[in-house]
C-alpha cells in the first residue's frame, strides 16, 4: 500500500513536494455540519510557518490555505475536504548541488534506492514542509475534538542537554521554544542561537498530553491507541521514538509499583499514560517523543556522490538549528487526527 | 596551490583527543594542496620555559596553574605576532586551554577555534592506557574523569567556533583526513 494515507474511520491523504507548486491534504470521513473556525486554522498554521519564529528556518512562507471542497457556507459537508497550500518562497538554487550527492542524515540515499528518481529540490516529499498539510487537517480535527471537550497540548521538555525543571503549561505560549518552564526556556533559546552560529543543529524531547478522552477508544488488537498514535507520530521525519506514561522508565518499577491502583473515584496514578490494553481508560493520555538534531546543517560532511565517489560537502541553505521549535503543533495535529479517528471508530461520525 | 591569505585554526579538546597527532596528520594532508604549517603549543612552551625547569610538568608543579596559564598565553601571543606568512596554520593547544580565558580571547581574535570532540569512553580508555595524569583521582579515575569531561566538554562546545566530531575507533590517518577536509571546506 502506498504510504500517503493515514487513519481508520477518518483518513487523511497528503500530497506535494517542498519546492513543487503546492502541497495539500484530502480529509475524508469528517462529521457534517461542523462550523470551521478559519481564524483558528490560520493561527495554527502560523505556529509551524517557516519564518514564523526567529529560531526557525529563514525561509519565509505565508502558508495560506485554500479549502477546495467539503465545506459549504463555512460548515463541513461530510464529503472529502481538500486543502491546498501553495509554495511561494522556494529557493531551489540554494540546494542545486544536492542533486549530485546524498546528504547525510537525510532521505536522499534511501529515496534513490527505493524509487530510482527523486525531486531533490529542498528534499522533495521527504521535507518537513510536507507536515504543513497535515497541520491544516489536524487543526480542523482539533477544533472538532475541542467541541467534544478533548484538549491536546504538546510542549518542549528538553533541548540538547537542557531540561525543563517544572511543568507550567501556562509558560508554553510565553517563550520561543514552547517549553513548559520559562526559566529553562531562556537557556534553550541561547543554546539554539549558539548552535546556529556553529552551523550545527540539536534535538530535543516533546511531551504531549491529551485530556478528557473518554474511556473506550482504541481497537484491539492492531489498532490500539498506542499503535495508531505511534504510527501517527513516528511518521514525522525527525521523530525517532515514542513512549507512553512511564515509557522506557517502566523497567525501573516492579509490577506492584507500576500498576495504577483503581478506586471508585478513578485511577490513583497514571503510570500507564491513559491507556490499558490499547484502549483509553479515561485518564489523560501522556506520551513523549525524541526529536533528532535537524539533518540540515552547514558544516562540512563526508558522503558519496550519485556516482558513488566519496566527497566532502557543504550544504548552504536556510536551516532550522532545532526542529522542536516548529514540530510542537504538528505533534498536536497528528494526535488530533488519531484521536478523532478513534472516536469515530467507537461512536460513528 | 598558492595561499592567498593567512588562516589560523586552533585545535582544542580534552586530553588525548588527538590535537597533536590528528592535527599533524591533517596539516600534512592539507600541505599537498596548499602551504600548511603545524604547530604544537606544548613545543613552543618547552622552548619558552625559564631556566631551571626540566619540563612543562615540572614548571606546572612548582609554579602552579596561574603561572602556567600566563606562560601558555604569552608564548602563544609571541608566536602569533611573529607569524608573517600567508599560510594555513594549524595550532594544537593544551587540554586545559579552555580555562585560560586570556588565551581563549586571543584564539578567537586571531583565527578559528575547532573543538575535536570524542566520546567520553574513548578518552577515558586512552587515558587509562597512557597513564593517569595528576589532575585525576587515581583511586576513582572513572568518576573524576566524568566530572572533568562534563565540564570541559561544555566549555569547549561554548568557546569553539565549530565542533569537529572524530570517530572513536578509526586511525589517526582516518581522523586526519576528516579534520583536513573539514578545514578545507569550512
Amino acid at each position: 500500500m502506498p504510504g500517503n494515507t493515514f487513519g481508520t474511520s477518518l483518513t487523511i491523504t497528503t500530497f506535494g513536494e517542498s519546492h513543487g507548486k503546492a502541497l495539500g491534504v484530502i480529509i475524508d470521513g469528517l462529521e457534517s455540519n461542523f462550523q470551521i473556525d478559519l481564524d483558528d486554522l490560520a493561527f495554527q498554521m502560523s505556529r509551524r510557518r517557516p519564518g514564523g519564529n526567529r529560531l526557525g528556518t529563514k525561509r519565509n512562507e505565508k502558508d495560506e490555505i485554500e479549502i477546495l471542497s467539503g465545506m459549504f457556507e463555512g460548515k463541513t459537508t461530510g464529503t472529502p475536504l481538500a486543502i491546498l497550500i501553495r509554495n511561494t518562497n522556494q529557493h531551489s538554487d540554494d540546494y542545486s548541488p544536492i542533486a549530485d550527492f546524498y546528504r547525510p542524515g537525510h532521505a536522499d540515499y534511501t529515496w534513490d534506492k527505493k524509487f530510482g528518481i527523486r525531486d531533490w529540490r529542498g528534499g522533495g516529499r521527504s521535507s518537513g514542509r510536507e507536515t504543513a498539510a497535515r497541520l491544516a487537517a489536524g487543526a480542523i480535527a482539533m477544533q472538532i475534538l475541542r467541541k467534544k471537550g478533548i484538549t491536546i497540548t504538546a510542549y518542549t521538555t528538553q533541548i540538547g542537554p537542557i531540561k525543563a525543571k517544572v511543568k507550567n503549561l501556562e509558560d508554553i505560549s510565553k517563550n520561543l521554544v514552547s517549553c513548559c518552564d520559562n526559566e529553562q526556556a531562556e537557556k534553550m533559546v541561547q543554546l539554539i542561537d549558539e548552535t546556529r552560529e556553529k552551523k550545527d543543529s540539536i534535538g530535543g524531547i516533546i511531551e504531549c498530553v491529551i485530556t478528557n478522552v473518554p474511556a473506550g477508544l482504541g481497537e484491539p488488537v492492531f489498532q490500539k491507541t498506542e499503535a495508531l498514535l505511534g504510527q501517527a507520530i513516528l511518521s514525522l521525519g525527525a521523530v525517532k521514538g515514542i513512549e507512553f506514561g512511564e515509557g522506557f522508565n517502566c523497567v525501573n518499577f516492579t509490577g506492584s509499583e507500576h500498576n495504577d491502583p483503581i478506586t471508585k473515584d478513578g485511577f490513583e496514578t497514571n503510570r500507564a499514560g491513559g491507556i490499558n490494553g490499547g484502549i483509553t481508560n479515561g485518564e489523560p493520555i501522556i506520551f513523549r517523543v525524541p526529536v533528532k538534531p535537524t539533518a540540515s546543517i552547514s558544516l562540512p560532511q563526508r558522503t558519496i556522490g550519485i556516482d558513488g565517489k566519496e566527497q566532502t560537502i557543504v550544504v548552504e541553505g536556510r536551516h532550522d538549528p532545532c526542529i522542536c521549535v516548529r514540530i510542537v503543533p504538528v505533534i498536536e495535529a497528528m494526535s488530533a487526527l488519531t484521536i478523532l479517528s478513534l472516536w469515530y471508530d467507537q461512536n460513528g461520525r | 596551490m598558492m595561499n592567498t591569505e593567512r588562516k589560523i585554526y586552533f585545535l582544542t579538546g580534552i586530553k588525548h583527543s588527538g590535537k597533536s597527532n590528528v592535527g599533524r596528520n591533517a596539516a600534512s594532508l592539507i600541505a599537498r594542496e596548499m602551504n600548511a604549517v603545524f604547530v604544537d603549543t606544548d613545543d613552543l612552551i618547552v622552548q619558552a620555559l625559564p631556566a631551571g625547569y626540566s619540563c612543562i610538568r615540572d614548571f606546572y608543579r612548582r609554579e602552579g596553574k596561574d603561572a602556567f596559564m600566563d606562560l601558555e598565553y604569552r608564548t602563544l601571543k609571541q608566536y602569533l605576532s611573529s607569524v608573517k606568512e600567508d599560510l594555513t596554520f594549524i595550532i594544537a593547544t593544551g587540554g586545559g586551554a579552555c580555562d585560560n580565558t586570556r588565551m581563549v580571547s586571543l584564539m578567537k581574535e586571531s583565527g578559528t577555534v575547532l573543538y575535536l570532540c570524542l566520546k567520553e569512553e574513548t578518552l577515558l580508555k586512552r587515558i587509562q592506557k597512557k597513564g593517569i595524569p595528576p589532575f585525576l583521582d587515581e583511586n576513582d579515575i572513572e568518576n573524576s574523569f566524568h566530572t572533568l569531561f562534563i565540564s570541559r566538554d561544555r566549555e569547549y562546545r561554548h568557546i569553539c567556533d565549530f565542533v569537529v566530531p572524530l570517530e572513536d575507533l578509526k586511525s589517526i590517518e582516518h581522523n586526519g583526513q576528516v579534520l583536513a577536509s573539514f578545514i578545507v571546506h569550512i
Side-chain angles (χ1 to χ4, degrees):
Chain A
M1 189 173 108
N4 299 296
T5 301
F6 170 76
T8 50
S9 290
L10 174 74
T11 63
I12 58 161
T13 300
T14 72
F15 59 87
E17 281 83 23
S18 174
H19 287 47
K21 281 189 176 164
L23 301 152
V25 60
I26 295 166
I27 318 164
D28 201 3
L30 282 175
E31 60 194 69
S32 55
N33 272 305
F34 181 82
Q35 181 82 39
I36 297 176
D37 181 343
L38 294 172
D39 292 337
D40 174 74
L41 194 50
F43 169 70
Q44 292 299 331
M45 296 304 289
S46 75
R47 293 175 67 203
R48 197 220 71 99
R49 185 173 70 82
N53 181 325
R54 77 164 180 84
L55 294 177
T57 172
K58 302 293 182 204
R59 173 174 172 170
N60 205 345
E61 285 282 1
K62 284 210 175 82
D63 273 0
E64 277 174 9
I65 62 169
E66 294 170 49
I67 297 179
L68 305 181
S69 66
M71 187 174 82
F72 183 66
E73 293 177 341
K75 289 181 176 172
T76 56
T77 56
T79 61
L81 192 134
I83 296 177
L84 197 70
I85 305 165
R86 292 183 196 279
N87 289 322
T88 54
N89 194 244
Q90 321 88 303
H91 283 193
S92 292
D93 285 354
D94 286 358
Y95 295 85
S96 53
I98 72 175
D100 303 324
F101 53 69
Y102 304 119
R103 293 165 302 162
H106 282 272
D108 301 349
Y109 177 80
T110 46
W111 272 64
D112 229 12
K113 290 292 154 196
K114 183 174 179 65
F115 297 108
I117 182 171
R118 67 190 159 105
D119 178 351
W120 49 263
R121 300 167 304 164
R125 187 149 168 78
S126 65
S127 164
R129 176 136 185 81
E130 181 267 332
T131 62
R134 306 174 189 216
L135 178 58
I140 292 172
M142 188 100 82
Q143 289 180 14
I144 297 173
L145 286 176
R146 213 176 290 140
K147 211 173 169 191
K148 299 183 192 303
I150 299 173
T151 59
I152 302 179
T153 312
Y155 43 88
T156 303
T157 61
Q158 186 172 341
I159 300 277
I162 301 167
K163 295 177 186 171
K165 289 178 180 163
V166 292
K167 204 185 278 188
N168 287 333
L169 299 191
E170 319 79 79
D171 281 6
I172 301 171
S173 58
K174 293 181 190 156
N175 57 73
L176 288 170
V177 284
S178 301
C179 179
C180 53
D181 179 345
N182 253 341
E183 217 173 298
Q184 291 299 91
E186 275 179 40
K187 293 180 192 164
M188 292 174 181
V189 170
Q190 204 180 350
L191 180 65
I192 293 172
D193 280 336
E194 219 175 76
T195 306
R196 182 205 297 281
E197 274 173 32
K198 295 182 192 323
K199 302 186 179 188
D200 217 336
S201 65
I202 40 169
I205 295 178
I206 310 289
E207 186 169 88
C208 183
V209 181
I210 312 174
T211 55
N212 267 331
V213 186
L217 302 191
E219 303 295 325
V221 291
F222 294 115
Q223 282 152 14
K224 289 179 174 171
T225 304
E226 289 113 320
L228 287 188
L229 274 173
Q231 189 192 355
I233 302 300
L234 291 168
S235 72
L236 296 167
V239 170
K240 297 305 282 182
I242 186 164
E243 61 173 20
F244 294 87
E246 285 295 339
F248 278 50
N249 189 38
C250 69
V251 297
N252 296 316
F253 293 80
T254 59
S256 60
E257 295 163 336
H258 187 261
N259 293 344
D260 298 309
I262 312 173
T263 68
K264 54 182 187 330
D265 299 324
F267 293 83
E268 274 183 358
T269 54
N270 186 17
R271 296 186 188 103
I275 305 162
N276 293 121
I279 303 169
T280 55
N281 65 12
E283 291 293 304
I285 297 173
I286 299 176
F287 66 85
R288 275 172 300 280
V289 295
V291 178
K292 72 174 184 177
T294 326
S296 293
I297 55 172
S298 326
L299 286 172
Q301 300 181 84
R302 285 163 306 130
T303 187
I304 55 168
I306 50 174
D307 56 5
K309 283 192 188 139
E310 288 187 5
Q311 55 181 283
T312 298
I313 57 156
V314 178
V315 187
E316 299 295 346
R318 299 157 293 174
H319 306 312
D320 267 317
C322 181
I323 200 71
C324 287
V325 175
R326 296 199 295 132
I327 208 172
V328 165
V330 187
I331 285 174
E332 290 175 349
M334 289 310 291
S335 304
L337 289 163
T338 310
I339 297 299
L340 185 58
S341 191
L342 287 172
W343 172 286
Y344 290 154
D345 287 344
Q346 176 73 0
N347 304 309
R349 61 171 168 150
Chain B
M1 203 203 305
M2 288 292 290
N3 300 54
T4 51
E5 56 180 327
R6 186 180 316 142
K7 284 195 168 164
I8 303 177
Y9 297 92
F10 296 98
L11 306 184
T12 65
I14 298 164
K15 192 173 174 65
H16 293 317
S17 53
K19 298 180 293 292
S20 301
N21 289 332
V22 174
R24 186 173 282 116
N25 197 278
S28 69
L29 291 171
I30 294 170
R32 290 180 196 165
E33 302 288 327
M34 56 185 117
N35 292 323
V37 175
F38 175 79
V39 182
D40 195 327
T41 50
D42 273 1
D43 295 340
L44 300 176
I45 296 168
V46 168
Q47 289 164 27
L49 274 179
Y53 299 94
S54 59
C55 61
I56 294 178
R57 195 172 278 192
D58 181 37
F59 181 88
Y60 192 105
R61 202 170 38 226
R62 285 159 57 191
E63 301 298 328
K65 189 176 178 180
D66 287 346
F68 171 75
M69 289 198 303
D70 184 55
L71 178 65
E72 189 183 35
Y73 164 75
R74 281 188 292 110
T75 309
L76 184 64
K77 189 168 172 65
Q78 182 163 12
Y79 177 76
L80 291 175
S81 58
S82 74
V83 161
K84 298 280 177 270
E85 304 89 337
D86 286 334
L87 306 176
T88 297
F89 289 87
I90 296 172
I91 302 179
T93 61
C98 58
D99 292 343
N100 195 337
T101 34
R102 277 197 300 166
M103 192 163 98
V104 169
S105 324
L106 176 65
M107 291 193 290
K108 300 283 278 184
E109 284 160 20
S110 337
T112 306
V113 179
L114 304 179
Y115 168 39
L116 305 192
C117 173
L118 280 113
K119 284 207 185 105
E120 181 180 345
E121 307 91 89
T122 312
L123 293 171
L124 180 64
K125 262 186 218 156
R126 290 184 188 175
I127 281 171
Q128 284 168 329
K129 211 164 119 190
K130 293 176 180 174
I132 312 303
F135 50 82
L136 292 183
D137 176 1
E138 42 185 276
N139 297 315
D140 192 1
I141 298 154
E142 280 185 27
N143 268 322
S144 60
F145 182 68
H146 178 71
T147 312
L148 179 88
F149 178 87
I150 297 294
S151 73
R152 291 247 158 115
D153 181 64
R154 190 191 298 137
E155 198 53 30
Y156 277 121
R157 281 178 192 277
H158 179 65
I159 63 163
C160 76
D161 292 305
F162 303 112
V163 177
V164 187
L166 295 182
E167 298 298 322
D168 300 352
L169 303 167
K170 303 284 184 168
S171 62
I172 290 172
E173 287 73 25
H174 176 93
N175 278 331
Q177 267 174 16
V178 172
L179 177 60
S181 64
F182 191 97
I183 288 174
V184 169
H185 286 90
I186 194 77

